[in-house]
Amino acid sequence: MSLPYLKEAIANDDHEKLIRYVRLHFGDGNEDAGRKEIDKSWVEALKLLLDSPNTDREFIFETLEKKDAETLAHLYFHLHFYFLKRSGDWIHDGNL
């Protein structure tokens, strides 16, 4: 899928096209595999929070407040790959 495809989806507020792109990208061309990759990263993040551990919430809130949306979006994808890698079962190299 191309950049024009994504820009068209954004211009038309077509969330399904954008989600399909993410699923295809994370699944190396397979939407079902992409869905599983997304789910794995959420599961890994959730497992770490179940016991309500002490976390550096100030860092999180400060980052959300001070960083621009583009940087946060990039961070979001890096975190996705981080948690996929933690799962021990991932199909990507982690490079954006």
Side-chain angles (χ1 to χ4, degrees):
M1 293 187 187
S2 64
L3 190 56
Y5 172 91
L6 294 173
K7 288 184 176 187
E8 178 184 317
I10 291 168
N12 294 324
D13 202 29
D14 190 338
H15 295 180
E16 282 303 312
K17 277 188 178 181
L18 296 171
I19 292 298
R20 184 164 188 257
Y21 166 80
V22 171
R23 288 180 187 143
L24 287 168
H25 178 71
F26 287 160
D28 286 344
N30 181 313
E31 279 189 79
D32 289 333
R35 186 177 289 111
K36 289 177 185 176
E37 291 294 285
I38 293 166
D39 290 349
K40 283 189 285 187
S41 68
W42 277 96
V43 166
E44 288 303 310
L46 182 58
K47 288 190 311 190
L48 295 170
L49 298 176
L50 289 178
D51 293 328
S52 299
N54 290 327
T55 58
D56 189 350
R57 293 175 65 85
E58 288 179 26
F59 165 76
I60 295 166
F61 295 136
E62 182 178 322
T63 301
L64 291 172
E65 182 180 322
K66 293 186 176 182
K67 298 299 180 183
D68 57 88
E70 293 81 5
T71 299
L72 294 172
H74 204 110
L75 175 62
Y76 180 83
F77 282 101
H78 277 280
L79 288 170
H80 166 79
F81 285 116
Y82 170 82
F83 286 114
L84 273 176
K85 189 173 184 179
R86 281 183 61 98
S87 79
D89 178 29
W90 68 324
I91 61 175
H92 294 284
D93 61 8
N95 294 320
L96 294 176

